[in-house]
């Protein structure tokens, strides 16, 4: 269709909307136009239009047809004096023509559906034309610098309206278009264009409309399954450039839909993997979403989904990735104290303990979840319960011998030793009474073999730290000699030391202090004996613990950190 044809295009006649002073207007009820709008839903579809599994409420149109015609006329006027551009160049003028054609065809389809609500064959042609135009609009993704003009032309609200179109083919075409426009590589090409597009999508309630469309898609139909995947891709793209959208999207129904999708009893599908990835993103740094997950009984849902992997390994790399995503979601959610209570009441500890015993691929994830559930002052109840369910019989064999890493077992030796040491350290912090006594007794069993293991790990990570400190010093000297302006601050140096194993060394030495000061006298005797045998010194352990007391991180509140700091210093004095 050339420009001249576009400018002379006239939509099919449609019933005129009565004006305020016309006889058809009534203050007591809707006019003729409103009655036509309510007749748009159809119970029958021709074979060329796929059936939908459920209805979605019709959109509240941003503009009435008369207003649309006025805006189309303005677009035509703006094109009258526009210079003729090259046919293969997508510039502002070409974009205006594309938007004009889109608006005309959307309006024509809307009017045909209103005029012939019970005769699908009469609006079929307009629907095919609209679908074709939406496909052609995907070319706009190649010029993100024109996004501000696209927004200015009002095209984004028109696209979003079509997400609730009666024909899911049209809605999916819009989803595919938005997925192309919000592709993260495309958005990164133009900051101004990225901001303009995302602002327009948020102003148009895109999150709620996308979720509303998700709820009616049938994943047993390949095209609709692809539409689900592309919808999730839109959320991923938008949250990557604007993280605050996470809470808006979750609150507008996305988290509810994801949890429902995870629960659905159907064969494993790539969309389930993608849903778990998006859930992990939503929970990563947003406490409001963690709270929402708990309110929606999401902790129980995650535990139910993970329970399958207690005795079964994932059958593919994609399913393994999904399982790991679910474990990560659980870890993120346990940052919130209220979710730890739900985890405890939902028998999450028992499930994690069984997973550790079964020696399946889920063992690594369950170890991480235990670490998160038992850390800090909010982990007190979980620590005591873990001892009660005979968790000591599970965790200490893992502490004594790290399972060999394989292609399937992705957790490194260092990560495994960090998590097992952290679980034991958390129990020493939080357990009281009988549970603490049972814990301390473990270190005297079997000729103090666990003391030997502690000192073995102490020297292993001490050696790692000494090498890391030498490397850091050499790097600083080199930068001074080169008169480099890249001066590393204390925080970056500290983070490098943590990466080298400082945190694990601190956990191990904390355990040594606790059991030597609180356990049987033979425990301390064995620890000092092993130190002397390897040429070690108590001064080294004391120095590491003083540094640890000064960097307790963000666990607990300020009062707890102060008490913990004083407790560690008291242990240092007693040792």
């Amino acid at each position: 269709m050339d420009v001249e044809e576009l400018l002379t295009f006239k939509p099919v006649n449609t019933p005129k909307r009565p004006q305020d002073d016309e006889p058809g207007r009534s203050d007591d009820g809707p006019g003729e136009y409103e009655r036509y709008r309510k007749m748009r839903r159809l119970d029958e579809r021709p074979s060329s239009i796929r059936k939908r599994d459920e209805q979605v409420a019709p959109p509240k149109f941003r503009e009435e047809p008369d207003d649309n015609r006025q805006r189309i006329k303005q677009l035509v006027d703006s094109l009258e004096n526009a210079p003729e551009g090259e046919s293969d160049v997508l510039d502002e003028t070409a974009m205006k023509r594309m938007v004009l054609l889109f608006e005309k065809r959307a309006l024509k389809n809307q009017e045909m559906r209103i005029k012939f609500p019970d005769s699908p064959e009469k609006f079929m042609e307009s629907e095919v034309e609209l679908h074709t135009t939406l496909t052609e609009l995907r070319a706009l993704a190649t010029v993100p610098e024109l996004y501000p003009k696209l927004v200015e032309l009002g095209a984004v609200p028109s696209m979003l309206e079509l997400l609730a179109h009666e024909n899911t083919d049209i809605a999916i075409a819009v989803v595919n278009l938005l997925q192309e426009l919000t592709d993260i590589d495309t958005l990164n090409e133009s900051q101004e264009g990225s901001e303009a597009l995302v602002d327009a999508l948020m102003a148009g309630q895109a999150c709620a409309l996308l979720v509303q469309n998700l709820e009616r898609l049938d994943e047993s139909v390949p095209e609709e399954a692809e539409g689900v995947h592309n919808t999730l891709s839109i959320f991923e793209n938008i949250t990557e450039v604007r993280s605050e959208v996470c809470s808006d999207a979750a609150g507008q129904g996305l988290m509810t839909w994801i949890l429902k999708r995870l629960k659905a009893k159907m064969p494993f599908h790539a969309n389930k993997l993608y849903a778990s990835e998006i859930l992990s993103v939503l929970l990563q740094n947003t406490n409001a979403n963690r709270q929402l997950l708990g309110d929606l009984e999401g902790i129980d849902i995650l535990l139910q989904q993970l329970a399958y992997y207690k005795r079964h390994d994932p059958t593919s790399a994609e399913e393994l990735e999904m399982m790991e995503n679910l474990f990560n979601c659980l870890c993120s959610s346990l940052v919130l104290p209220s979710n730890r209570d739900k985890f405890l009441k939902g028998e999450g500890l028992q499930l994690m303990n069984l997973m550790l015993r079964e020696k399946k691929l889920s063992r690594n994830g369950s170890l991480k979840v235990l670490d998160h559930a038992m850390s800090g002052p909010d982990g007190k109840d979980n620590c005591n319960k873990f001892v009660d369910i005979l968790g000591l019989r599970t965790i200490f064999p893992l502490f004594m011998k790290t399972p060999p890493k394989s292609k399937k077992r992705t957790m490194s030796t260092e990560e495994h030793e960090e998590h097992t040491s952290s679980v034991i350290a958390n129990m020493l912090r939080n357990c009281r009474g009988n549970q603490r006594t049972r814990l301390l007794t473990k270190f005297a069993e079997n000729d103090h073999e666990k003391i030997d293991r502690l000192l073995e790990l102490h020297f292993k990570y001490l050696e790692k730290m000494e090498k890391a400190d030498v490397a850091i010093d050499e790097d600083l000297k080199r930068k001074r000699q080169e008169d480099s302006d890249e001066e590393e601050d204390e925080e970056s140096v500290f983070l490098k030391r943590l990466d080298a194993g400082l945190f694990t060394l601190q956990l191990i030495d904390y355990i040594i202090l606790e059991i030597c000061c609180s356990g049987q006298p033979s425990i301390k005797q064995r620890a000092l004996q092993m130190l002397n045998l390897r040429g070690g010194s108590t001064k080294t352990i004391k120095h590491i613990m003083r540094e640890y007391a000064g960097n307790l991180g963000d666990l607990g509140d300020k009062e707890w950190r102060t008490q913990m700091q004083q407790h560690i210093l008291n242990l240092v004095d007693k040792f």
Side-chain angles (χ1 to χ4, degrees), residues 217-482:
L217 297 181
D218 179 5
E219 290 187 61
S220 64
V221 180
E223 292 80 5
E224 298 195 17
E226 183 183 0
V228 170
H229 189 277
N230 287 338
T231 302
L232 295 175
S233 180
I234 295 170
F235 283 113
E236 182 182 28
N237 294 336
I238 295 176
T239 54
E240 189 163 340
V241 297
R242 188 170 297 181
S243 58
E244 57 268 26
V245 173
C246 285
S247 56
D248 294 337
Q252 292 178 28
L254 179 58
M255 185 174 291
T256 302
W257 181 87
I258 289 176
L259 293 175
K260 180 181 177 182
R261 178 62 183 84
L262 292 176
K263 283 197 305 182
K265 294 181 179 180
M266 59 177 69
F268 177 77
H269 190 278
N271 283 347
K272 188 171 184 179
L273 167 60
Y274 210 171
S276 69
E277 290 177 2
I278 300 301
L279 181 59
S280 181
V281 171
L282 294 179
L283 296 172
Q284 198 166 13
N285 296 305
T286 313
N287 269 337
N289 287 351
R290 293 165 181 160
Q291 180 67 56
L292 179 61
L293 180 79
D295 295 341
L296 295 173
E297 299 182 354
I299 302 297
D300 282 342
I301 292 172
L302 291 175
L303 291 174
Q304 289 165 11
Q305 294 302 306
L306 287 168
Y308 172 80
Y309 300 105
K310 178 177 63 178
R311 293 193 174 91
H312 302 86
D313 280 338
T315 56
S316 65
E318 290 77 15
E319 190 176 0
L320 174 61
E321 185 179 352
M322 186 207 69
M323 181 188 74
E324 292 174 346
N325 288 337
L326 296 180
F327 276 121
N328 289 335
C329 291
L330 203 49
C331 289
S332 294
S333 66
L334 292 175
V335 171
L336 210 63
S338 59
N339 284 342
R340 297 196 191 192
D341 294 336
K342 292 181 173 67
F343 177 78
L344 179 63
K345 293 175 183 177
E347 298 187 348
L349 282 173
Q350 288 88 333
L351 177 61
M352 298 303 117
N353 191 36
L354 289 172
M355 285 179 168
L356 290 177
R357 291 181 180 179
E358 289 293 334
K359 300 180 182 179
K360 296 293 183 181
L361 293 180
S362 58
R363 180 162 64 175
N364 293 337
S366 61
L367 184 58
K368 286 198 299 184
V369 171
L370 276 181
D371 188 2
H372 282 78
M374 299 164 72
S375 64
D378 298 314
K380 180 178 179 181
D381 292 340
N382 282 315
C383 284
N384 286 303
K385 183 66 175 179
F386 188 69
V387 176
D388 291 340
I389 63 173
L390 308 180
L392 298 181
R393 296 181 183 179
T394 308
I395 195 65
F396 274 108
L398 294 174
F399 172 73
M400 291 299 296
K401 184 179 180 180
T402 302
K405 185 181 178 182
S406 64
K407 291 182 179 179
K408 289 186 176 180
R409 287 180 169 82
T410 55
M411 183 178 284
S412 66
T413 298
E414 287 73 19
E415 288 177 311
H416 180 90
E417 290 169 351
E418 177 187 327
H419 288 304
T420 52
S421 299
S422 182
V423 169
I424 295 171
N426 288 328
M427 287 190 289
L428 285 169
R429 286 192 191 104
N430 291 321
C431 288
R432 295 291 180 268
N434 182 51
Q435 288 90 350
R436 182 176 177 82
T437 302
R438 291 165 61 183
L439 176 60
L440 291 171
T441 302
K442 279 286 180 182
F443 289 95
E445 290 180 353
N446 299 327
D447 194 24
H448 303 85
E449 63 177 4
K450 298 173 184 64
I451 306 299
D452 297 347
R453 174 63 171 163
L454 275 172
L455 271 298
E456 175 191 339
L457 292 174
H458 165 77
F459 285 110
K460 172 184 174 179
Y461 284 94
L462 182 61
E463 183 179 354
K464 279 177 167 287
M465 284 309 308
E466 289 172 347
K467 289 180 179 179
D469 288 339
V470 170
I472 291 171
D473 290 340
E474 289 178 351
D475 191 40
L476 291 174
K477 287 178 182 178
R478 179 183 57 78
K479 288 181 178 179
R480 291 193 189 102
Q481 291 173 355
E482 296 174 355

Side-chain angles (χ1 to χ4, degrees), residues 9 25 33 93 185 194 203 257 302 389 418 465 544 567:
F9 174 82
R25 177 76 177 182
Y33 178 77
T93 302
D185 293 329
S194 168
W257 181 87
L302 291 175
I389 63 173
E418 177 187 327
M465 284 309 308
I544 293 168
H567 175 65

Side-chain angles (χ1 to χ4, degrees), residues 44-198:
E44 297 180 356
R45 295 289 185 271
S47 58
S48 57
I49 298 181
R50 290 180 283 105
K51 66 179 183 67
R52 296 179 295 125
D53 62 332
E54 59 180 289
Q55 295 285 353
V56 177
K60 294 182 179 179
F61 285 93
R62 176 179 52 82
E63 297 168 331
E64 305 296 354
D66 288 344
D67 296 325
N68 269 328
R69 291 193 196 93
Q70 181 63 31
R71 193 156 61 82
I72 292 172
K73 183 177 182 303
Q74 292 173 355
L75 264 174
V76 172
D77 293 340
S78 70
L79 285 168
E80 284 182 350
N81 299 320
E84 284 291 335
E86 296 293 333
S87 59
D88 59 344
V89 176
L90 184 53
D91 55 11
E92 185 176 324
T93 302
M95 183 187 70
K96 284 184 178 180
R97 291 191 178 98
M98 294 176 73
V99 171
L100 173 62
L101 180 60
F102 162 64
E103 294 284 3
K104 280 186 173 183
R105 288 183 170 176
L107 176 61
K108 180 183 176 182
N109 178 247
Q110 175 187 339
E111 292 179 332
M112 294 296 286
R113 276 185 167 271
I114 293 171
K115 189 174 183 180
F116 305 106
D118 299 319
S119 304
E121 68 278 359
K122 293 186 178 181
F123 58 70
M124 180 67 62
E125 183 180 354
S126 68
E127 214 132 285
V128 173
E129 290 176 347
L130 177 58
H131 189 279
T132 302
T133 304
L134 287 168
T135 304
E136 292 170 350
L137 281 174
R138 293 163 70 173
L140 296 176
T142 62
V143 284
E145 63 275 9
L146 294 181
Y147 284 1
K149 191 63 180 178
L150 179 69
V151 171
E152 185 181 325
L153 293 172
V156 174
S158 299
M159 295 174 189
L160 294 177
E161 286 175 8
L162 293 176
L163 285 172
H165 197 281
E166 287 84 350
N167 183 354
T168 54
D169 284 334
I170 298 297
I172 291 172
V174 175
V175 167
N176 296 341
L177 170 60
L178 292 176
Q179 193 273 333
E180 291 279 353
L181 295 178
T182 60
D183 181 84
I184 191 62
D185 293 329
T186 302
L187 293 180
N188 287 334
E189 290 178 17
S190 172
Q191 182 176 354
E192 181 184 0
S194 168
E195 292 178 355
L197 180 61
V198 174

